Amino acid sequence: GAGVSQSPSNKVTEKGKDVELRCDPISGHTALYWYRQSLGQGLEFLIYFQGNSAPDKSGLPSDRFSAERTGGSVSTLTIQRTQQEDSAVYLCASSLGPRTDNSPLHFGNGTRLTVT
Amino acid sequence: GENVEQHPSTLSVQEGDSAVIKCTYSDSASNYFPWYKQELGKRPQLIIDIRSNVGEKKDQRIAVTLNKTAKHFSLHITETQPEDSAVYFCAARGSNYQLIWGAGTKLIIKP
């Protein structure tokens, strides 16, 4: 199937280490989103990429978080100097068109990050 | 800031009965309202959405209603079945085109 693929599915890391999470969107989808989902909580927006435009980084919680999208396809979310409060499921989603046209989001299965 | 409140946080209904989940939004400029279903251990998936130019939309056993004056919208599931058990998230598209999400409702269908 050609769904959104995320890796790794689970990541356990020690406090203070850096982690990289990967998202491979559906081919042809121009928009890519990163969300964070804490246990029992809703989806917290992190960052949005659309084509070659500058990303909307307004949801990144601190400067320890960064993301890039290379060649308009694969994206990596990097968390530096991880803290215990970073523990959550990180969801990636892609959509065919930009968010302005209300294209449905297609989510990956997420990466469960645990910081010990 | 913009926010979406979703109630109840947990809903338990008997199989075959109806379930209603309600959301209230704060941004009067919101014009798009999707609902996503997340089964245990799986990814969220869009089940229905509504735009602000209509008041109701149906798709088989599910329907969504929108009251723009009161700034609330609801998900209705009739004749509930075991496979309806999941967490349901509402969202509203804000004035900056970001989706603002509710905290989710865990729906439990009792046999």
Side-chain angles (χ1 to χ4, degrees):
Chain A
V4 177
S5 178
Q6 289 188 247
S7 62
S9 54
N10 279 285
K11 177 71 177 178
V12 181
T13 190
E14 292 181 354
K15 177 181 172 182
K17 301 279 189 182
D18 298 352
V19 294
E20 257 191 18
L21 313 181
R22 177 189 167 106
C23 173
D24 206 336
I26 293 173
S27 178
H29 279 198
T30 62
L32 187 147
Y33 306 74
W34 282 98
Y35 286 94
R36 180 166 66 178
Q37 186 176 31
S38 301
L39 189 63
Q41 300 297 311
L43 300 175
E44 177 188 5
F45 167 75
L46 297 177
I47 190 168
Y48 163 74
F49 296 92
Q50 170 55 39
N52 295 320
S53 302
D56 176 357
K57 303 180 182 180
S58 60
L60 295 178
S62 78
D63 58 8
R64 296 187 296 105
F65 288 72
S66 63
E68 60 179 25
R69 188 179 184 193
T70 54
S73 182
V74 172
S75 177
T76 54
L77 176 69
T78 301
I79 308 173
Q80 296 178 309
R81 306 181 301 282
T82 51
Q83 304 294 312
Q84 288 187 328
E85 59 262 29
D86 298 336
S87 296
V89 174
Y90 289 82
L91 287 167
C92 174
S94 69
S95 65
L96 184 60
R99 58 188 179 186
T100 49
D101 72 1
N102 298 325
S103 298
L105 302 184
H106 297 262
F107 284 88
N109 280 326
T111 293
R112 181 176 298 279
L113 175 66
T114 303
V115 182
T116 61
Chain B
E2 301 165 353
N3 75 296
V4 173
E5 293 188 0
Q6 183 171 349
H7 298 283
S9 56
T10 304
L11 177 61
S12 183
V13 302
Q14 205 70 39
E15 182 179 347
D17 288 351
S18 295
V20 180
I21 302 170
K22 300 179 180 180
C23 290
T24 304
Y25 59 98
S26 61
D27 185 354
S28 56
S30 293
N31 60 6
Y32 174 66
F33 309 90
W35 286 87
Y36 282 76
K37 174 184 180 182
Q38 186 176 27
E39 296 179 44
L40 188 63
K42 296 191 177 180
R43 66 192 75 188
Q45 291 190 302
L46 179 71
I47 54 171
I48 195 167
D49 58 14
I50 191 168
R51 286 161 173 77
S52 59
N53 56 346
V54 297
E56 183 176 8
K57 183 176 178 180
K58 288 184 179 180
D59 183 2
Q60 300 183 342
R61 295 187 298 107
I62 60 173
V64 57
T65 58
L66 171 65
N67 182 328
K68 286 209 70 181
T69 303
K71 292 192 286 187
H72 66 70
F73 56 111
S74 300
L75 178 71
H76 304 253
I77 307 174
T78 59
E79 301 171 18
T80 52
Q81 300 171 5
E83 55 265 34
D84 296 329
S85 294
V87 177
Y88 291 80
F89 292 98
C90 66
R93 178 81 71 192
S95 53
N96 63 352
Y97 299 105
Q98 274 190 35
L99 277 177
I100 310 299
W101 295 81
T105 296
K106 182 176 182 180
L107 177 61
I108 301 166
I109 307 300
K110 296 181 290 185

